[in-house]
Amino acid sequence: MELFFLGTGSGVPSKERNVSSLVLRMLEERGTTWVFDCGEGTQQQILNTTIRPRRIEAIFITHLHGDHIYGLPGLLSSRSFQGGESPVTVYGPRGLKEYIDISLRLSGTHLRYPLYVEEVEEGLLFEDKQFIVEAVRLEHGLESFGYLLKEKDQLGELLPSRLQELGIQPGPLYQQIKSRPETELEDGRIIRREDVTGPPKKGRKVAVLGDTRCLPELADTLKGFDVLVHEATFASDQEEMAYNYFHSTVKQAASLAKEAGVKELILNHISSRYQGKAVQQLLAEARDIFPNTTISKDFYQHYIPRNHGGG
């Protein structure tokens, strides 16, 4: 599981940062890619990576400001020409379906794959055997959401030494034992899976928040998350401006991460007013409060290791 930042700026593109787009690659987990926001130039950024649009399974739009959606019709269209045939579901606020429908219709675009658009409300978006995805409402000029990704716990590793102690030699029976809660052997013995596997592998939790004012009340919701991606449009001394423009400061994002007890904070949506040494100053401000902080930049890749053991 890896976060790949394609655009980390706010408002308009700059020489150093493109506008918002973030990819979560889960090639090992499910062979697919999820995209969060799709600002202008997203597919151009993709050309400089090993990301394959045909692997895109879901796109999550946080809100409908242009710097988060102007690249979406182009990416959907290009995916057809790049061999994409599997379905794509796009999640986002009310109005997203109209925007996509009009863009594709007026441009005469015909997709070669099924496209589904789900306009979201706060709460559960979907659940499958691997993940639970929820939307949480934020506070911005337009309706804005954050997305909470919760990987389900996985079975622990099968313990061959324990099986061999029971007189069970390696073979197809091992897979059968792992796939069932209980397995009856030919001699009538019952082998319980929990007795011959290691501790479960704890699922990872990732929160990707869209543009928002600081919301300290989210701390309880975010408790125990492995990674929090939070906007930091303004420096710590610009709280009034951040509030007026429905954004957050570096200090506010770091304080939320500390209060929630997340493992890692990645700051995103950086204003073009901050470049070079100014960005390092932002990072220093955040680390004074929450040491395990990173400021994203375009093409930054962040690996999220699997949690081992229970608890």
Side-chain angles (χ1 to χ4, degrees):
M1 186 184 286
E2 178 188 60
L3 290 168
F4 201 129
F5 290 80
L6 296 176
T8 58
S10 66
V12 296
S14 69
K15 291 182 178 180
E16 292 189 354
R17 298 178 186 270
N18 198 47
V19 288
S20 294
S21 187
L22 166 61
V23 165
L24 178 64
R25 296 208 286 192
M26 296 178 289
L27 303 185
E28 179 183 321
E29 291 78 9
R30 58 199 289 142
T32 62
T33 293
W34 291 356
V35 178
F36 296 83
D37 285 334
C38 192
E40 176 187 353
T42 292
Q43 59 177 319
Q44 187 70 29
Q45 297 287 85
I46 286 175
L47 292 176
N48 295 307
T49 73
T50 57
I51 295 168
R52 297 290 176 259
R54 66 176 179 270
R55 290 188 180 271
I56 294 173
E57 174 189 18
I59 300 173
F60 300 87
I61 301 298
T62 61
H63 66 292
L64 299 185
H65 276 148
D67 58 323
H68 295 254
I69 64 167
Y70 283 163
L72 182 57
L75 179 62
L76 295 174
S77 175
S78 294
R79 187 177 184 270
S80 276
F81 297 104
Q82 295 166 343
E85 297 179 349
S86 57
V88 172
T89 303
V90 186
Y91 300 89
R94 287 170 294 180
L96 177 62
K97 188 176 190 307
E98 181 183 10
Y99 170 71
I100 292 174
D101 288 347
I102 290 175
S103 298
L104 298 182
R105 176 169 55 83
L106 293 183
S107 63
T109 301
H110 302 283
L111 303 181
R112 301 175 185 175
Y113 56 88
L115 177 68
Y116 306 100
V117 181
E118 300 284 345
E119 295 187 341
V120 309
E121 297 289 343
E122 190 168 45
L124 180 68
L125 291 188
F126 75 83
E127 179 176 359
D128 62 19
K129 64 181 181 180
Q130 288 180 300
F131 284 92
I132 298 172
V133 180
E134 299 171 340
V136 58
R137 190 176 299 278
L138 304 176
E139 187 176 341
H140 196 49
L142 290 179
E143 187 176 45
S144 184
F145 291 94
Y147 295 104
L148 311 180
L149 287 59
K150 302 175 181 180
E151 183 185 33
K152 293 183 177 181
D153 293 353
Q154 295 186 335
L155 290 172
E157 297 292 341
L158 202 63
L159 302 174
S161 59
R162 193 166 297 177
L163 288 167
Q164 290 174 30
E165 288 172 4
L166 296 170
I168 305 170
Q169 298 307 311
L173 186 57
Y174 276 26
Q175 185 57 40
Q176 183 178 325
I177 290 172
K178 186 168 184 180
S179 64
R180 300 177 183 177
E182 292 185 345
T183 301
E184 184 175 359
L185 303 183
E186 290 183 356
D187 61 10
R189 285 184 295 162
I190 301 295
I191 302 298
R192 296 193 309 165
R193 180 173 59 197
E194 64 185 39
D195 294 334
V196 292
T197 54
K201 301 173 183 176
K202 289 291 292 180
R204 292 159 286 188
K205 296 181 181 180
V206 180
V208 179
L209 304 190
D211 293 7
T212 185
R213 282 175 174 163
C214 177
L215 295 175
E217 60 268 29
L218 287 180
D220 287 341
T221 301
L222 297 171
K223 283 213 181 299
F225 270 66
D226 294 276
V227 178
L228 168 61
V229 180
H230 198 293
E231 70 126 289
T233 310
F234 292 99
S236 299
D237 61 358
Q238 298 292 315
E239 281 195 20
E240 183 176 357
M241 184 176 290
Y243 183 86
N244 290 339
Y245 285 94
F246 293 90
H247 285 295
S248 299
T249 68
V250 168
K251 179 180 178 181
Q252 289 170 334
S255 297
L256 176 61
K258 180 179 180 179
E259 181 65 24
V262 302
K263 292 181 181 176
E264 295 181 287
L265 170 65
I266 304 178
L267 300 177
N268 196 24
H269 203 262
I270 308 300
S271 171
S272 60
R273 73 183 68 198
Y274 306 113
Q275 298 187 25
K277 291 183 179 180
V279 173
Q280 295 307 308
Q281 177 59 35
L282 297 180
L283 182 59
E285 292 174 13
R287 286 180 172 172
D288 280 346
I289 300 168
F290 189 79
N292 201 10
T293 299
T294 302
I295 289 188
S296 63
K297 59 183 178 180
D298 288 14
F299 305 114
Y300 170 62
Q301 296 170 252
H302 188 92
Y303 177 66
I304 306 170
R306 188 178 296 282
N307 297 309
H308 291 279

